[in-house]
Amino acid sequence: MPLDTDASQVRSQFNQVGTRPLRPDGADKVTGRARFGADTTAPGMLVGKVLRSPHAHARIRAIDSSKAEALEGVHAIVTRDDFAPRDDAHADTLYNVMAREKALYEGHAVAAVAAMSTSVAQAALALIAVDYEVLPHVTDVDEAMGEDAPVLHEGMITGGVDPAPEKASNIAGRCEFGHGDVAEGFARADVVVERSFKTEATHQGYIEPHACLASVSPDGQGELWVCTQGHYMVRNTCAALLDMDVSKLRVTASEIGGGFGGKGVVFIEPVALALARKAGLPVKMVMSRDEVFRASGPTSSTSMWVKIGVTNDGRMTAAEAELRFQGGAFAGSPVEMGAMTAFACYDLENVKVVGYDVVTNRPKQAAYRAPGAPMAAFAVESVVEEVAERIGMDGIELRLANAAKEGTKSSFGQTFGPIGLVETLEAAKAHPNYAAPLGENQGRGIASAFWFNFGGQTSVSLNVNVDGTIALAVGTPDLSGSRASMCLMAAEELGIDYDRVGAIVADTSSLGYNDVTEGSRVTFSAGLATIAAARDAVAKLRARAALTWDIPEDAVVWEDGCAKPAGANAGEFEPLSLAEIAASAGNTGGPIAGHYECSAENAGPGFATHVVDVEVDPETGVTSVLRYLVAQDAGKAIHPSYVEGQLQGGAAQGVGWALNEAYIYGADGKMENPAFLDYRVPLASDLPMIDTVLVEVPIPGLPYGVRGVGETSIVPPLAAVGNAVSNAAGVRLTSLPMSPPHILAALGGGGDD
Amino acid sequence: MPLDTDASQVRSQFNQVGTRPLRPDGADKVTGRARFGADTTAPGMLVGKVLRSPHAHARIRAIDSSKAEALEGVHAIVTRDDFAPRDDAHADTLYNVMAREKALYEGHAVAAVAAMSTSVAQAALALIAVDYEVLPHVTDVDEAMGEDAPVLHEGMITGGVDPAPEKASNIAGRCEFGHGDVAEGFARADVVVERSFKTEATHQGYIEPHACLASVSPDGQGELWVCTQGHYMVRNTCAALLDMDVSKLRVTASEIGGGFGGKGVVFIEPVALALARKAGLPVKMVMSRDEVFRASGPTSSTSMWVKIGVTNDGRMTAAEAELRFQGGAFAGSPVEMGAMTAFACYDLENVKVVGYDVVTNRPKQAAYRAPGAPMAAFAVESVVEEVAERIGMDGIELRLANAAKEGTKSSFGQTFGPIGLVETLEAAKAHPNYAAPLGENQGRGIASAFWFNFGGQTSVSLNVNVDGTIALAVGTPDLSGSRASMCLMAAEELGIDYDRVGAIVADTSSLGYNDVTEGSRVTFSAGLATIAAARDAVAKLRARAALTWDIPEDAVVWEDGCAKPAGANAGEFEPLSLAEIAASAGNTGGPIAGHYECSAENAGPGFATHVVDVEVDPETGVTSVLRYLVAQDAGKAIHPSYVEGQLQGGAAQGVGWALNEAYIYGADGKMENPAFLDYRVPLASDLPMIDTVLVEVPIPGLPYGVRGVGETSIVPPLAAVGNAVSNAAGVRLTSLPMSPPHILAALGGGGDD
């Protein structure tokens, strides 16, 4: 059912869209009434807890849970034996959720208990005897690629290589993108800069730990209340892992205290359902912070090499990169997206990027805002900045001279339509921050960045209530005010006030399928579906007016929230308001609703330019962020405050990633800082007000031209902050995080090299 | 959006419909896991309790709640002052929910408290000082119509009378139906029988008391979990009474432990919301059984007069009746429906029925299965039986000789289409029960009956899951297995197994409007909408197959759960199953769904004939039911077991009404038996297995021809049991209940007359 995208359907004047009303979930969230993953109960509910591997790599010879089963108050224990082995697309998910032959990282689940209380559950965990054969482990990506590295998966043959290797390794896959002849390009360059970079794994740092409440009836029907970015994904995945019909599992998404990609996969949910099914009682599971760090999905750590050649007048002649991303214990690091995004900001004749997807004895990585792109941008934009310095050109000017624009063929093959990179560079250049004077030990960093933005499957229903208010049902968990944005778009189409539209996130049994809230897809694709559902409802409202007036449907137009007769032969009638038509719906054919299901296509790429000023204290190595500017293309900002919030949040998380955050592993392969005291995210006091400039270059042909904004803003900060710190410190830093000890060492030694 | 009702859409061969699978809510209900109205909680939840009038009729001079407000643990108190007065369609509902100038019956709510515990709430109720001016009261319908009766509503001028009376009375309205000339008809009769009858008010006797949990956020958004027959009705009514936008109130229906009509109105729900809004915390309210009896909605008690004339060869020449129904403290007894149904089983040339709607100092009546019809049938069918006795004709033969059939113009003006009354009479005649020999003190009673059956507004969505299973969302609370019936119809249309369809009752924010589950409308109208939604989905499934095969949509048919190419030019393709099309939906346009909203019309009338054998113990007056047969027209029985269950349940409730159940009022206007020990419903041990015969006379032109079955079966039992008891006792009894003291008195005195 394609949305009518002819030009007459494109809107450029708005009454509701672009305003900044309060979000419908706001009052409940600030008063503590909102119900998150752990905020529900069921009669007879048990507590579920997971036994996790203390070893980074170990064969599981045997599991003896007999003593635990005998403990008073224990209702069920599940291990690998409670899940049927599989070799399909869900296999890695299953074996991450519950270890099979081997524990592949410290924290890997090996058993789980449902008991009458937390203390009984924990006592039971202590009674489960696991016979481990401890194996050598590897956690560093470069070491994991070494010839002598311990191999995690005996059958892992690198994909994407022709001919295929004969020997198993930790390299799950190789990808390559590019065009032209980089050797020829570098030969034409006046200046060539190449450098190697490393970044550490970071965590999304959501406030709310994973939590769920599962229940399975004796006849096999299940219910799950869960904090997730995608309750349909949870439903489909859990149904597969537990061999249930999808129709027999109903999943309701709680409010969500942050996700950022890390709640787009399952961890405890299938375990909770398996325990509930076995126990015959509801089971609640809530991860501790320690478990979140050790056993949910952080980002990849990376090792990267970048080379860029440029003429003295600032024209890039060639660019090349090699990216090595470890994705934890299973294949699937975001290296391919890192490789695709690496040079996407530039219009290059000669470009080549090679990526390696590597497994290590770490938790399986999960998405984290623009997966893969921030690290690649860190490497590329650091070199771009160094190139600008070397030829004595302003960083923004160099980027403008080479910027991707409409018609540019990207390194990954897409030829861009209208995009807003140049506009963000111009906005940054014009902003007062860019002219602010810098003092001693202060430096400025610039970085631009690209993110794809996705569309995907979406279902929306819009129901007209008897008083002319609207009940809007969407199926995408609201991470960032999307309900408010949907209400604005529905109100815009219907010609009524925002306040007259109520939006909810419907459960999986009430509304059709929706992809996960990720890929910056919701305001774009659920927005498209909301607009289309509203237009479907408007068509029906017009038909009811036509019926009431006994004139043809095409003699009725919808304006200002009213049906009006239109055209010479339509006749003279007083307009009928939405509320009037709604009040008589029972007599004109029944309830009035609009529906839309789609795979949303033509999502438009997002571009941003960040400018950050820092001061580095040479005595302590502490970096203070003085100013931060985000200029980003939103296509059309539906609710500007929430767009700005996304931009600010991305910058804040990126600052943390750049300066402090890192998974620290000991030689024993165990994480040494699994708590927010030791894993330091930025506090409000660490940051200045983050300035934002919204550029609006609409996607052509779509109703409002909205671009996703949730991810692009985390792509530049690693590089922008790195460039600023390097400028302030007077030495080039090439690894993250740029924490005080790291900076002090670099100041002492003249940089990372 | 009219359903396509051309003949090609009518189905007569079924694979799923007519089978008897287990219902999806069964396991949870028999294991105690199902969540009813009281089975949910919210953090910080308060307990709400209602202060009720101890007087049957009293002016409320003042309410002083200051002492209660000062009690520790009391969070909110509401009285009449917390609800804006109104004079619209919701006025009586509001004034029944919370008394205004006067308390109009014992149990009428005058204030409510939300407190930290039940004991604090009850202590607070005791501290609320209400200054009553006690007024004379009236509870009997005939007394209430008397010249000197205390008048409940000073402004009540009888409606339906021309010219309108000058003086206020307790008669809210008068209605009249009929045609022909009854005087002329009686003049032609060989035998005329006329009698007066009285019936007592009874309660629906649902196991689950009214219960709800209300919450209102600081920004005015409300949520309500409630046991109800119609959560959309609850939403719309509560929003009106609390002056909220409908879009700001989300109502979820719990499982329901019986309703039978009595849960199609609000009592505590607006009070709970008002308390929650005032307290700023969630409020749970659960009625006690005492409150259910005193302050929910029982049936009308009645006083009736019926006269029928007949020729010696069994042709009815005229029929006349006057019905007086008291509906409690507010207008709206079901006398109009009683008057319309009274003679609907008969093809009469001359017929006249007059009805009076009377108010008394009793709780406002609510619907109870086929409202009004059982009492009218009791009176009419008692006289029919006596007429048959007088002319020496078999009761079934007399009914057959006068039975309504296709083309009959009913007393209320409808000319019937194809109906099944004759078929039920023939089925009863042919059944072994009708030939069973009767012993001493035993008697047989026959009664036939009619019920309209309704359609109404309905919304259904049907979503195709990735594995080809179905998520079916309906909005009609499931009182009697309707989810199972919907699954059968969806499975039938899609050509898949019943077990592959999951059905839920969606909340008011997730699905479009649905009328209350009442009027025997659900299997008919939600069934129609389910069939139409499934056909909508099938059209989309065919389109996806056509897209996959690159052939026109009309070259694809849907057979046996698969898309198949059809026609000479369609080409040769392997059939695509529902599961296969579902698995690739993301690549062929997105999620696949079917939707339908309608005001369902053309519901077909239901007819039934009951035959009951009883034995009356002349020493104790106790009646034992020996055999019971229900023959009823179901149009098409979707799930025969649940149709039979409805028939058996109607008979069981009717037996209770006939033999034992009654509201007993003292001279003080207070109910004397508000508990199941004193208000005696039939136990399983009181009843034989109730035999059923399903007659199927489909409604023409509709897909399956389904007729509602939930109400017709309670219409005949009062008369059938009354006739059997009269036959066994040898005296004619004309008032209900025919309890042992009543029967003993009648045996002693030669009947009621």
Side-chain angles (χ1 to χ4, degrees):
Chain A
M1 190 162 58
L3 186 68
D4 187 352
T5 55
D6 72 49
S8 69
Q9 299 299 305
V10 177
R11 192 181 279 268
S12 59
Q13 297 294 314
F14 298 94
N15 293 311
Q16 299 290 327
V17 163
T19 63
R20 299 168 183 256
L22 288 179
R23 59 202 286 170
D25 47 320
D28 273 359
K29 282 183 176 160
V30 298
T31 56
R33 298 169 66 102
R35 278 170 302 162
F36 291 90
D39 292 337
T40 193
T41 58
M45 188 176 80
L46 304 174
V47 175
K49 289 283 172 195
V50 175
L51 182 68
R52 298 185 180 279
S53 169
H55 307 296
H57 197 190
R59 191 169 311 279
I60 301 170
R61 290 203 194 97
I63 303 173
D64 179 0
S65 59
S66 56
K67 283 185 187 162
E69 280 160 23
L71 186 67
E72 174 90 20
V74 171
H75 286 256
I77 296 177
V78 296
T79 66
R80 57 192 179 185
D81 295 336
D82 293 275
F83 297 89
R86 55 198 313 140
D87 56 7
D88 63 0
H90 293 292
D92 282 358
T93 301
L94 174 60
Y95 301 146
N96 189 43
V97 159
M98 188 61 67
R100 194 124 204 125
E101 284 81 16
K102 298 201 291 186
L104 293 165
Y105 55 93
E106 184 219 8
H108 200 165
V110 294
V113 171
M116 59 178 290
S117 69
T118 302
S119 56
V120 171
Q122 281 167 336
L125 292 185
L127 291 173
I128 298 175
V130 183
D131 181 7
Y132 291 109
E133 175 192 351
V134 178
L135 302 171
H137 66 271
V138 62
T139 57
D140 179 78
V141 62
D142 292 323
E143 288 173 18
M145 289 176 77
E147 273 294 310
D148 303 330
V151 171
L152 274 74
H153 302 282
E154 284 81 0
M156 182 171 275
I157 302 295
T158 310
V161 177
D162 185 26
E166 287 178 10
K167 206 177 124 204
S169 75
N170 291 320
I171 306 173
R174 178 190 183 278
C175 60
E176 182 175 332
F177 298 94
H179 55 251
D181 179 342
V182 290
E184 184 274 328
F186 286 123
R188 284 197 287 116
D190 297 315
V191 171
V192 173
V193 174
E194 64 179 302
R195 281 204 183 268
S196 292
F197 300 87
K198 288 198 94 160
T199 68
E200 270 305 339
T202 57
H203 196 272
Q204 301 87 354
Y206 32 80
I207 298 172
E208 185 193 14
H210 300 262
C212 66
L213 174 60
S215 176
V216 183
S217 286
D219 64 353
Q221 295 185 90
E223 281 190 277
L224 189 71
W225 163 273
V226 59
C227 161
T228 179
Q229 291 176 236
H231 48 317
Y232 294 86
M233 172 281 300
V234 171
R235 178 192 61 173
N236 291 0
T237 306
C238 290
L241 299 190
L242 283 95
D243 197 23
M244 296 168 72
D245 279 354
V246 168
S247 60
K248 296 227 163 27
L249 182 58
R250 184 178 186 178
V251 182
T252 304
S254 71
E255 292 290 347
I256 177 168
F260 310 108
K263 289 177 182 162
V265 287
V266 298
F267 297 109
I268 52 174
E269 296 82 357
V271 178
L273 282 163
L275 285 169
R277 184 162 68 178
K278 202 164 180 178
L281 285 170
V283 174
K284 187 174 191 169
M285 297 185 79
V286 182
M287 272 192 176
S288 67
R289 183 65 60 189
D290 185 279
E291 286 180 293
V292 169
F293 273 108
R294 293 191 207 271
S296 67
T299 59
S300 292
S301 64
T302 72
S303 174
M304 302 173 288
W305 166 86
V306 170
K307 179 177 176 182
I308 295 177
V310 66
T311 60
N312 281 328
D313 62 353
R315 182 65 210 157
M316 292 183 190
T317 58
E320 191 176 357
E322 182 181 300
L323 310 182
R324 301 164 161 211
F325 283 25
Q326 68 75 24
F330 298 90
S333 84
V335 72
E336 192 166 315
M337 289 193 285
M340 292 167 82
T341 58
F343 294 112
C345 285
Y346 301 106
D347 186 358
L348 295 165
E349 273 179 72
N350 306 297
V351 58
K352 179 181 176 185
V353 190
V354 173
Y356 292 97
D357 177 20
V358 182
V359 297
T360 66
N361 294 114
R362 293 186 180 218
K364 176 173 163 56
Q365 72 88 39
Y368 179 13
R369 279 181 116 151
M375 306 82 126
F378 170 60
V380 168
E381 292 292 292
S382 292
V383 174
V384 168
E385 192 75 0
E386 197 169 347
V387 163
E389 287 163 16
R390 289 274 296 276
I391 63 171
M393 194 168 179
D394 173 83
I396 289 184
E397 295 300 343
L398 175 64
R399 287 175 175 86
L400 280 169
N402 295 279
K405 53 185 79 70
E406 184 171 0
T408 294
K409 185 187 176 193
S410 74
S411 60
F412 58 95
Q414 181 183 350
T415 300
F416 293 130
I419 54 174
L421 174 59
V422 166
E423 286 79 355
T424 68
L425 285 161
E426 297 285 5
K429 195 166 75 171
H431 194 275
N433 283 18
Y434 197 62
L438 293 172
E440 198 179 355
N441 298 320
Q442 296 185 350
R444 176 164 298 151
I446 306 160
S448 291
F450 156 86
W451 182 246
F452 308 92
N453 295 327
F454 294 97
Q457 294 192 67
T458 308
S459 301
V460 165
S461 281
L462 182 154
N463 292 292
V464 178
N465 299 327
V466 67
D467 62 351
T469 60
I470 300 296
L472 180 64
V474 301
T476 37
D478 180 351
L479 273 75
S480 49
S482 58
R483 274 167 292 191
S485 298
M486 299 304 137
C487 290
L488 281 168
M489 288 186 267
E492 189 73 57
E493 288 298 320
L494 293 165
I496 59 176
D497 281 349
Y498 166 83
D499 202 45
R500 299 279 285 172
V501 184
I504 59 124
V505 179
D507 68 74
T508 58
S509 292
S510 299
L511 184 70
Y513 179 78
N514 283 269
D515 279 335
V516 175
T517 296
E518 65 182 8
S520 299
R521 68 175 220 88
V522 166
T523 310
F524 170 72
S525 56
L528 272 187
T530 297
I531 293 166
R535 290 178 180 181
D536 184 27
V538 164
K540 292 170 185 169
L541 290 161
R542 287 173 46 233
R544 300 296 176 98
L547 184 71
T548 305
W549 293 330
D550 196 17
I551 64 175
E553 289 180 24
D554 60 9
V556 181
V557 294
W558 191 260
E559 283 177 4
D560 307 323
C562 293
K564 299 177 183 176
N569 303 319
E572 294 279 325
F573 301 99
E574 284 299 302
L576 278 171
S577 71
L578 176 53
E580 289 166 329
I581 298 171
S584 63
N587 299 323
T588 59
I592 298 169
H595 305 283
Y596 199 68
E597 294 89 23
C598 66
S599 277
E601 294 175 355
N602 303 318
F607 287 90
T609 297
H610 290 203
V611 180
V612 57
D613 292 351
V614 304
E615 179 171 324
V616 174
D617 183 328
E619 298 205 14
T620 62
V622 167
T623 299
S624 305
V625 180
L626 305 174
R627 293 172 204 91
Y628 203 113
L629 171 66
V630 179
Q632 183 169 326
D633 178 14
K636 173 66 196 174
I638 302 299
H639 191 304
S641 298
Y642 300 154
V643 175
E644 291 160 4
Q646 288 271 28
L647 274 42
Q648 293 165 324
Q653 288 189 306
V655 167
W657 196 339
L659 292 178
N660 282 299
E661 297 177 39
Y663 269 52
I664 300 170
Y665 279 91
D668 56 0
K670 300 185 185 186
M671 187 182 180
E672 295 187 336
N673 60 336
F676 277 140
L677 278 176
D678 300 313
Y679 178 98
R680 192 176 187 290
V681 300
L683 310 180
S685 54
D686 292 329
L687 295 168
M689 180 65 191
I690 294 168
D691 299 307
T692 56
V693 178
L694 300 185
V695 169
E696 292 186 336
V697 180
I699 306 174
L702 290 176
Y704 299 177
V706 171
R707 292 176 198 271
V709 298
E711 292 173 291
T712 309
S713 57
I714 205 174
V715 186
L718 283 55
V721 171
N723 287 334
V725 169
S726 295
N727 288 341
V731 293
R732 172 58 50 184
L733 285 89
T734 56
S735 66
L736 298 183
M738 297 181 182
S739 57
H742 177 188
I743 288 176
L744 284 179
L747 287 173
D752 277 351
D753 304 3
Chain B
M1 190 162 56
L3 185 70
D4 187 351
T5 55
D6 73 49
S8 70
Q9 299 298 306
V10 176
R11 193 181 277 269
S12 59
Q13 296 294 315
F14 298 95
N15 293 311
Q16 299 289 326
V17 162
T19 64
R20 299 168 182 255
L22 289 179
R23 58 203 286 171
D25 48 318
D28 273 1
K29 282 182 176 161
V30 298
T31 58
R33 298 168 66 103
R35 279 172 300 162
F36 292 89
D39 292 337
T40 193
T41 59
M45 188 176 82
L46 304 175
V47 175
K49 289 283 171 194
V50 176
L51 183 67
R52 300 186 179 278
S53 168
H55 307 296
H57 197 190
R59 192 169 309 281
I60 302 169
R61 292 201 193 97
I63 302 174
D64 180 359
S65 59
S66 56
K67 285 186 186 162
E69 279 159 26
L71 185 65
E72 175 90 19
V74 170
H75 287 255
I77 297 176
V78 297
T79 67
R80 57 192 180 187
D81 295 336
D82 293 273
F83 298 88
R86 56 196 314 139
D87 55 8
D88 62 0
H90 293 292
D92 282 357
T93 300
L94 174 62
Y95 301 146
N96 189 43
V97 158
M98 189 61 68
R100 196 125 205 125
E101 284 81 17
K102 298 201 291 186
L104 292 165
Y105 55 93
E106 183 218 11
H108 200 167
V110 295
V113 171
M116 60 178 290
S117 68
T118 302
S119 57
V120 172
Q122 281 167 335
L125 293 185
L127 292 174
I128 299 175
V130 184
D131 180 8
Y132 291 108
E133 176 194 349
V134 178
L135 302 171
H137 66 270
V138 61
T139 56
D140 178 80
V141 61
D142 291 322
E143 289 173 18
M145 290 176 76
E147 273 293 310
D148 303 330
V151 170
L152 273 73
H153 302 283
E154 285 80 1
M156 181 171 277
I157 302 295
T158 310
V161 177
D162 185 27
E166 287 179 13
K167 206 176 127 209
S169 74
N170 291 321
I171 305 173
R174 178 189 183 280
C175 61
E176 182 175 332
F177 298 93
H179 55 251
D181 179 342
V182 290
E184 183 273 328
F186 286 124
R188 283 198 287 117
D190 295 314
V191 172
V192 174
V193 175
E194 64 179 302
R195 282 204 183 268
S196 292
F197 300 86
K198 287 198 94 159
T199 68
E200 269 304 338
T202 56
H203 196 272
Q204 301 86 355
Y206 32 79
I207 299 173
E208 186 193 13
H210 300 261
C212 67
L213 173 60
S215 176
V216 183
S217 286
D219 65 353
Q221 295 184 89
E223 282 190 276
L224 190 70
W225 163 272
V226 59
C227 161
T228 179
Q229 291 176 234
H231 47 316
Y232 295 87
M233 172 281 299
V234 171
R235 178 192 63 173
N236 291 359
T237 305
C238 290
L241 299 190
L242 281 93
D243 197 23
M244 296 168 73
D245 279 353
V246 169
S247 60
K248 296 225 161 31
L249 182 56
R250 183 179 187 180
V251 182
T252 303
S254 71
E255 292 289 347
I256 178 168
F260 310 108
K263 288 176 181 160
V265 288
V266 298
F267 296 109
I268 51 174
E269 296 82 359
V271 178
L273 282 163
L275 285 169
R277 182 161 70 179
K278 201 164 182 178
L281 286 170
V283 174
K284 187 174 193 169
M285 296 186 79
V286 181
M287 272 192 175
S288 67
R289 182 66 58 190
D290 185 280
E291 285 179 293
V292 170
F293 273 108
R294 292 189 208 272
S296 66
T299 58
S300 291
S301 62
T302 72
S303 173
M304 301 174 288
W305 167 86
V306 171
K307 179 177 177 184
I308 295 177
V310 66
T311 59
N312 281 329
D313 61 354
R315 182 66 211 157
M316 293 183 188
T317 58
E320 190 175 358
E322 183 181 300
L323 311 181
R324 300 165 161 210
F325 284 23
Q326 69 74 23
F330 298 91
S333 83
V335 72
E336 195 166 313
M337 288 192 286
M340 292 167 82
T341 57
F343 293 111
C345 286
Y346 300 104
D347 186 357
L348 295 165
E349 274 180 71
N350 306 296
V351 58
K352 179 181 175 185
V353 190
V354 173
Y356 292 98
D357 176 21
V358 181
V359 297
T360 64
N361 293 114
R362 293 187 180 215
K364 176 172 163 56
Q365 71 88 39
Y368 179 13
R369 280 180 116 151
M375 305 83 124
F378 169 62
V380 168
E381 292 292 290
S382 293
V383 173
V384 168
E385 191 77 359
E386 197 168 348
V387 163
E389 287 164 14
R390 290 275 294 276
I391 62 171
M393 193 168 178
D394 174 83
I396 290 185
E397 296 299 341
L398 175 65
R399 287 174 175 87
L400 279 169
N402 295 279
K405 52 186 79 70
E406 184 171 0
T408 295
K409 185 186 177 192
S410 74
S411 60
F412 58 93
Q414 182 184 348
T415 299
F416 292 128
I419 53 174
L421 174 58
V422 166
E423 286 79 356
T424 68
L425 285 161
E426 298 286 3
K429 195 167 73 170
H431 194 275
N433 283 19
Y434 198 61
L438 293 173
E440 199 180 354
N441 298 320
Q442 296 184 350
R444 177 164 297 150
I446 306 159
S448 290
F450 156 86
W451 183 247
F452 307 94
N453 295 328
F454 293 97
Q457 294 192 68
T458 308
S459 302
V460 165
S461 282
L462 182 152
N463 291 292
V464 178
N465 299 327
V466 68
D467 62 350
T469 60
I470 299 297
L472 181 65
V474 301
T476 36
D478 180 352
L479 274 74
S480 48
S482 59
R483 276 167 291 191
S485 298
M486 299 305 136
C487 290
L488 281 168
M489 287 185 268
E492 188 73 55
E493 287 299 319
L494 294 165
I496 59 176
D497 280 349
Y498 166 83
D499 202 45
R500 302 278 286 172
V501 184
I504 59 127
V505 179
D507 67 74
T508 58
S509 292
S510 299
L511 184 71
Y513 179 78
N514 283 269
D515 279 335
V516 174
T517 296
E518 65 181 9
S520 299
R521 69 175 218 85
V522 167
T523 309
F524 171 72
S525 57
L528 271 187
T530 296
I531 293 166
R535 291 179 180 182
D536 184 25
V538 164
K540 292 170 184 167
L541 291 162
R542 288 174 45 233
R544 299 297 175 97
L547 184 71
T548 304
W549 293 330
D550 196 19
I551 64 175
E553 289 180 24
D554 59 10
V556 181
V557 294
W558 192 259
E559 281 176 4
D560 306 324
C562 292
K564 300 178 182 176
N569 303 319
E572 294 279 324
F573 300 99
E574 284 298 303
L576 278 171
S577 72
L578 175 55
E580 288 167 330
I581 299 171
S584 63
N587 298 322
T588 58
I592 299 169
H595 305 282
Y596 198 69
E597 293 89 23
C598 66
S599 278
E601 294 173 357
N602 302 320
F607 286 90
T609 297
H610 289 201
V611 179
V612 57
D613 293 349
V614 303
E615 179 172 325
V616 173
D617 183 328
E619 295 203 14
T620 62
V622 168
T623 299
S624 305
V625 180
L626 306 174
R627 292 171 206 92
Y628 202 113
L629 170 67
V630 179
Q632 185 170 327
D633 178 15
K636 173 68 197 172
I638 301 301
H639 191 302
S641 298
Y642 301 155
V643 175
E644 291 160 3
Q646 288 270 28
L647 273 42
Q648 292 166 325
Q653 288 189 308
V655 167
W657 196 339
L659 292 179
N660 281 299
E661 296 177 41
Y663 269 52
I664 300 170
Y665 279 90
D668 55 2
K670 301 185 185 185
M671 188 182 180
E672 296 187 335
N673 59 336
F676 278 141
L677 278 176
D678 300 313
Y679 179 97
R680 193 176 186 289
V681 299
L683 309 181
S685 54
D686 291 330
L687 295 168
M689 180 65 191
I690 294 169
D691 299 305
T692 56
V693 178
L694 300 185
V695 168
E696 292 187 336
V697 180
I699 306 174
L702 290 175
Y704 299 177
V706 171
R707 294 177 196 269
V709 297
E711 292 172 291
T712 308
S713 57
I714 204 174
V715 185
L718 282 55
V721 171
N723 286 335
V725 169
S726 296
N727 288 341
V731 292
R732 173 59 50 185
L733 284 89
T734 56
S735 66
L736 298 185
M738 297 179 181
S739 57
H742 177 189
I743 288 176
L744 285 179
L747 286 173
D752 278 353
D753 303 5

